[in-house]
Amino acid sequence: MVARKFVVRYSDSTFDVDYDTDDGFEVFKFQLFSLTSIPPDDQKIIGGDDDRVVSDDSDLVSISNQLKLVSIDEKDESRLVSIDEEESTTSNGSVAQDNANSLVSDEELARMLQAEEEALMLQQFAVSGQSEEFEQIIQPYISKVLMYEDPARQEAARKTVPVEELEEKALVSLAKEGNFKPSKIEKDHAFLLQLLFWFKESFRWVNAPPCDSCGNDTINQGMGVTLPSESQYGASRVELYHCNSCSRITRFPRYNDPLKLVETRRGRCGEWANCFTLYCRAFGYESRLILDFTDHLWTECFSQVLGRWMHLDPCDRVYDRPLLYEKGWDEKLNYVIAIAKDGVYDVTKRYTRKWLEVLSRRNIIRETDLSATLTNMTRDCRKSFTSLICSMLEDRDKNELEELEKGLHSKDDASISLPGRQSGDKEWRISRSEIGSNEDSSLSCSSCPVRLCVDVHVTSIYNAFFPVLSQFIENSLSNSRTVEILKIFKEILVELKNSSYEKRTISVNPFVLHLLPYFDQLLNALSLKSEIDTDEKVNICLAGDPVKTSLALPVVLDALDDVIVNLNNCSNLSKASLSLPLMRLNRIHSGSVLASGEELPFGISTSAFDGLRATKWEEPNGAKGCWIVYKLPDNQMHELVAYDLMSANDAPERDPMDWVLEGSDDGGSSWRILDKQISQAFGNRFQRRSFKIKSGGFFCNAFRFRFLAVKDVQSNSRLQLGSIDLYSSNSSL
């Protein structure tokens, strides 16, 4: 493919736009719409020395330097958008990085370097230059990270992890991106993220521990003297808490040995980062404990996929967002130090874009002395390493230094919103001034990429219910008997889902053998089959790729629940019943999606099309208006006859209330209204509502929902949807 990167300047803001020419010119216009609010229909793009109008890909190919975008109705030249573009072709099909566009200008860089030099000169007079104080802070952490190399501690950590479950989730996450044959480093990267998510759910944050005696709330009573059983695991201090109910004292030792933390599974950021870094080492990841001198800790792991160190904060379940603390938490950083078995590193520049401000706060040790101190510490850590390993580490150190300098002078991505601190009691976070500019903010993106829906299995599952119910009707089964059979089949699938994903198999009770022929097509949609073993037992087992089964099983279980609910609401099961809402036939699938905004990483746009109740599309700023565009693959044309919207798991105030559905027969250049709904309401969570298209005969290759308002626009800024399903007629072009 050919990938192009544009730098879009508009209204004093700068945005990076990655454009894949395979997606088509219309997608590019929607990307510009999401950034500039100029609708595709109103865009006028001008390029080339002769200022000719660019209207499609063929025009864009001939433009090699600069484009201009204006609204057709716009007369104010100050609102002109200039787009600088650089093109590159990548062998692996990924978008090439345009480093020049993300960096500051040469003139600005020169000013920054001059200011840095002046700040360093001033620092000489403000800093005492005592390296001993700095070493005293760091040295205990060097001892701590060496514990991570202990095989006994690593084994104790691994025993507490549901490894197969996380492996399955990692493979499913890759499959949802269309990667069913990932490389080892891709699987390792995905597993690390699942390990982070699991740790967040399994470790407990402690504000004030519950009473050891009665479990009620406690209040702090100061510090106590450590007991031998506590100091054995590195507890140098103990917090004491008085119970409000039974008046007993609960001790909260601040353990430093990660082995003990694997057992207690509780603490604050120090315990979280300490224990999580052990888990990372236990699974073979090159890991570092990160010490922020403003009182926070987290982890870095070297990602072979990214080719660099990756930030992971287990407390807030955030990864690869190093500006979280400065931009989201509003931290005033000074020193951020990485400590590992192979050395100690100053990585502050990874976590700031305000280096001069940070430099003014670095008053413990002079920069030259800091560099020398870290070099000596690192040399001491590596004294037992072979010369070959030392040489490899030195090369990587050099690359990291170049990366840090380059990142420091890169421009911030204005489309990414970083939240304030999420972990800890709200009052505590406020007292530390870490709540950020908006306590309701979240990790989100307002310039979304085009995402591919990997959902053909959802359509296959929905279609497979038709022969099941058709046979029930032919055999004159009652509603109650049909529901009973479906519940039996669901129990079988639940047992399969809870079994090992690589060896799924279950022996079928002879009592239900006669029911299996009803479900042949549905089993096939799940990559399952029934077979007779050597003992004449009938088993249901894997028929293909186990990951495809893992992807499909949650979908069919949710679909079964919907079918059972609709059957219970159906007075009489007949052929006339085999339509919406009971039957969801001819669901459109495998399209590409672009949205006005999305929550990262769990509320992305494709979550609206994956057939799962457990996921949702969340638009952080969508309460008063947002949009989502679905483009069909391979220039397919479909006549839309109906669609479903499903409410999400929580927060009914975020449900859509008013919306317009539009269709396009030219990929999104022009739109026609297909349906409009006002003052709609969802009475329950996970409620599906079906809407039929009244005017037929219009074949489309793209659809756009414009959500105009949610249920509560006064106290809420968000829109969320559990799912969107589009249904076509039997015919297509």
Side-chain angles (χ1 to χ4, degrees):
M1 79 172 195
V2 176
R4 286 182 154 184
K5 179 177 284 289
F6 297 89
V7 174
V8 180
R9 301 186 182 93
Y10 182 72
S11 297
D12 299 323
S13 297
T14 301
F15 307 95
D16 289 336
V17 180
D18 291 324
Y19 169 53
D20 177 357
T21 54
D22 292 343
D23 289 336
F25 189 65
E26 293 77 14
V27 172
F28 173 65
K29 294 177 74 175
F30 276 114
Q31 288 174 290
L32 294 181
F33 174 38
S34 70
L35 296 172
T36 65
S37 298
I38 299 177
D41 297 348
D42 296 337
Q43 292 175 8
K44 183 178 182 181
I45 303 174
I46 303 169
D49 297 334
D50 53 355
D51 285 341
R52 63 183 180 276
V53 175
V54 178
S55 58
D56 55 31
D57 270 325
S58 61
D59 294 332
L60 195 58
V61 167
S62 63
I63 305 300
S64 61
N65 47 18
Q66 193 175 73
L67 302 175
K68 297 178 180 179
L69 169 66
V70 296
S71 169
I72 291 175
D73 299 324
E74 186 60 65
K75 297 181 180 179
D76 183 357
E77 289 299 320
S78 67
R79 293 195 55 184
L80 176 143
V81 180
S82 66
I83 309 176
D84 300 316
E85 177 270 334
E86 181 173 307
E87 182 178 310
S88 62
T89 305
T90 57
S91 59
N92 63 0
S94 64
V95 177
Q97 295 297 314
D98 184 359
N99 298 323
N101 281 337
S102 65
L103 298 177
V104 298
S105 67
D106 290 343
E107 182 180 351
E108 186 177 352
L109 178 59
R111 286 198 301 268
M112 292 171 65
L113 293 175
Q114 177 65 31
E116 181 177 350
E117 184 177 341
E118 293 172 356
L120 286 170
M121 291 179 63
L122 290 173
Q123 190 197 43
Q124 306 301 312
F125 302 99
V127 176
S128 63
Q130 297 297 319
S131 61
E132 292 81 4
E133 179 185 353
F134 187 86
E135 290 186 42
Q136 288 173 1
I137 296 172
I138 297 297
Q139 198 61 49
Y141 292 96
I142 296 177
S143 302
K144 184 179 295 185
V145 299
L146 293 178
M147 293 184 188
Y148 307 150
E149 306 309 309
D150 175 29
R153 287 180 170 87
Q154 291 187 3
E155 180 61 21
R158 284 192 294 268
K159 285 181 177 179
T160 66
V161 178
V163 175
E164 188 176 54
E165 176 187 335
L166 299 191
E167 286 178 346
E168 181 182 9
K169 288 182 176 181
L171 291 170
V172 167
S173 71
L174 292 166
K176 285 185 174 183
E177 297 174 354
N179 186 357
F180 285 89
K181 300 294 181 182
S183 65
K184 182 181 184 305
I185 64 172
E186 289 172 328
K187 288 189 281 189
D188 288 346
H189 184 87
F191 182 87
L192 176 59
L193 300 185
Q194 293 302 323
L195 185 66
L196 174 73
F197 303 151
W198 166 83
F199 187 87
K200 171 66 175 177
E201 298 303 318
S202 65
F203 214 77
R204 182 163 54 91
W205 183 272
V206 175
N207 293 306
C211 176
D212 285 341
S213 179
C214 67
N216 286 312
D217 293 340
T218 62
I219 56 174
N220 186 266
Q221 292 289 293
M223 307 298 292
V225 178
T226 57
L227 302 175
S229 60
E230 296 164 340
S231 57
Q232 175 186 354
Y233 294 101
S236 58
R237 57 195 176 99
V238 176
E239 299 173 9
L240 302 180
Y241 290 84
H242 178 265
C243 180
N244 297 330
S245 299
C246 70
S247 299
R248 295 199 177 182
I249 296 296
T250 292
R251 302 172 64 85
F252 177 36
R254 303 301 301 274
Y255 292 117
N256 282 295
D257 189 333
L259 178 64
K260 188 64 175 178
L261 297 176
V262 167
E263 174 191 331
T264 63
R265 313 193 69 73
R266 68 175 189 172
R268 301 193 190 110
C269 63
E271 289 91 346
W272 281 64
N274 186 6
C275 193
F276 180 67
T277 310
L278 169 64
Y279 276 106
C280 294
R281 287 297 300 131
F283 286 95
Y285 297 99
E286 292 185 80
S287 310
R288 312 196 289 203
L289 184 65
I290 308 301
L291 172 62
D292 166 17
F293 278 33
T294 62
D295 194 24
H296 189 48
L297 294 98
W298 59 88
T299 306
E300 282 185 355
C301 289
F302 193 84
S303 168
Q304 297 292 340
V305 168
L306 300 176
R308 57 173 172 78
W309 290 97
M310 180 172 69
H311 150 257
L312 300 120
D313 191 318
C315 298
D316 279 16
R317 196 174 62 173
V318 176
Y319 64 92
D320 205 24
R321 298 293 173 186
L323 296 184
L324 172 70
Y325 312 106
E326 182 176 82
K327 186 179 176 183
W329 295 19
D330 198 25
E331 287 275 28
K332 309 303 180 186
L333 300 173
N334 48 25
Y335 298 95
V336 181
I337 306 298
I339 304 113
K341 66 174 183 176
D342 53 34
V344 184
Y345 313 86
D346 181 6
V347 294
T348 311
K349 291 180 178 179
R350 175 174 291 123
Y351 294 92
T352 183
R353 291 297 180 269
K354 301 176 181 179
W355 175 241
L356 294 182
E357 293 182 22
V358 170
L359 198 57
S360 70
R361 296 189 289 267
R362 287 162 71 99
N363 52 21
I364 297 177
I365 184 172
R366 294 188 182 95
E367 295 301 303
T368 52
D369 293 337
L370 172 61
S371 178
T373 300
L374 295 181
T375 298
N376 290 334
M377 286 180 156
T378 298
R379 185 183 298 116
D380 190 54
C381 290
R382 298 177 182 179
K383 62 186 179 183
S384 63
F385 293 8
T386 66
S387 58
L388 178 60
I389 292 177
C390 287
S391 177
M392 293 172 60
L393 289 172
E394 287 166 5
D395 287 342
R396 191 164 72 181
D397 293 347
K398 180 181 177 182
N399 292 336
E400 183 177 21
L401 286 173
E402 293 175 355
E403 175 208 330
L404 293 178
E405 288 295 332
K406 187 176 179 181
L408 185 66
H409 300 127
S410 297
K411 293 183 178 179
D412 196 5
D413 187 349
S415 68
I416 299 295
S417 172
L418 296 171
R421 186 169 192 158
Q422 306 297 305
S423 53
D425 178 78
K426 181 178 178 180
E427 291 183 3
W428 178 77
R429 287 181 281 142
I430 292 174
S431 71
R432 293 166 58 95
S433 301
E434 292 176 338
I435 204 161
S437 58
N438 181 0
E439 64 179 276
D440 296 322
S441 65
S442 59
L443 180 56
S444 59
C445 179
S446 60
S447 179
C448 305
V450 176
R451 300 186 184 276
L452 179 65
C453 291
V454 180
D455 62 339
V456 63
H457 60 287
V458 180
T459 299
S460 298
I461 289 168
Y462 289 1
N463 288 341
F465 276 100
F466 183 81
V468 173
L469 295 185
S470 294
Q471 291 183 69
F472 289 164
I473 292 171
E474 289 178 9
N475 291 310
S476 302
L477 269 66
S478 65
N479 279 27
S480 59
R481 178 57 178 158
T482 299
V483 168
E484 181 184 351
I485 293 173
L486 291 178
K487 286 182 176 180
I488 292 171
F489 186 64
K490 180 183 175 182
E491 289 175 0
I492 294 172
L493 294 182
V494 168
E495 188 171 343
L496 276 169
K497 184 177 181 294
N498 293 334
S499 63
S500 170
Y501 80 96
E502 292 182 298
K503 303 174 182 178
R504 293 193 201 276
T505 185
I506 182 175
S507 295
V508 179
N509 189 313
F511 174 72
V512 297
L513 285 180
H514 68 286
L515 300 176
L516 286 182
Y518 290 97
F519 296 98
D520 281 345
Q521 186 172 331
L522 193 52
L523 289 175
N524 184 60
L526 301 173
S527 294
L528 294 170
K529 64 181 179 181
S530 60
E531 62 180 17
I532 302 175
D533 64 15
T534 55
D535 296 327
E536 299 298 317
K537 292 182 179 179
V538 177
N539 299 322
I540 295 179
C541 57
L542 292 171
D545 185 349
V547 178
K548 290 185 177 180
T549 303
S550 296
L551 197 62
L553 276 172
V555 176
V556 74
L557 290 173
D558 287 349
L560 273 166
D561 286 341
D562 288 334
V563 170
I564 290 170
V565 167
N566 285 317
L567 281 171
N568 287 330
N569 294 330
C570 180
S571 58
N572 181 39
L573 182 61
S574 64
K575 289 185 177 180
S577 309
L578 300 181
S579 60
L580 281 173
L582 181 60
M583 287 287 93
R584 306 202 293 272
L585 301 174
N586 301 319
R587 177 184 176 275
I588 297 172
H589 61 85
S590 304
S592 56
V593 183
L594 181 66
S596 55
E598 60 186 11
E599 185 98 353
L600 300 173
F602 300 110
I604 61 175
S605 57
T606 46
S607 296
F609 299 91
D610 62 8
L612 295 173
R613 291 182 176 183
T615 64
K616 60 186 175 184
W617 169 50
E618 191 165 354
E619 221 288 17
N621 300 300
K624 295 183 180 180
C626 61
W627 51 265
I628 189 168
V629 174
Y630 185 97
K631 184 178 180 182
L632 276 67
D634 304 321
N635 293 317
Q636 294 178 17
M637 304 288 288
H638 282 277
E639 178 191 19
L640 193 72
V641 295
Y643 65 95
D644 280 353
L645 298 184
M646 185 181 75
S647 58
N649 63 317
D650 62 1
E653 66 273 11
R654 302 174 186 172
D655 291 344
M657 183 176 68
D658 305 335
W659 65 84
V660 174
L661 171 59
E662 300 167 311
S664 173
D665 60 2
D666 53 14
S669 293
S670 60
W671 295 96
R672 172 175 167 179
I673 294 179
L674 302 178
D675 188 46
K676 184 175 182 179
Q677 299 292 333
I678 302 294
S679 300
Q680 295 296 329
F682 293 82
N684 300 297
R685 301 301 83 204
F686 305 122
Q687 180 184 0
R688 283 186 173 274
R689 298 204 53 200
S690 300
F691 302 89
K692 293 185 178 181
I693 304 300
K694 296 177 182 178
S695 57
F698 183 58
F699 285 80
C700 305
N701 57 15
F703 302 97
R704 178 171 69 183
F705 283 91
R706 289 192 289 115
F707 295 103
L708 309 177
V710 298
K711 182 177 180 180
D712 183 356
V713 298
Q714 303 302 321
S715 61
N716 161 62
S717 66
R718 296 170 176 267
L719 174 139
Q720 65 179 27
L721 267 175
S723 70
I724 300 173
D725 291 298
L726 305 167
Y727 306 107
S728 73
S729 61
N730 290 324
S731 57
S732 62
L733 297 179

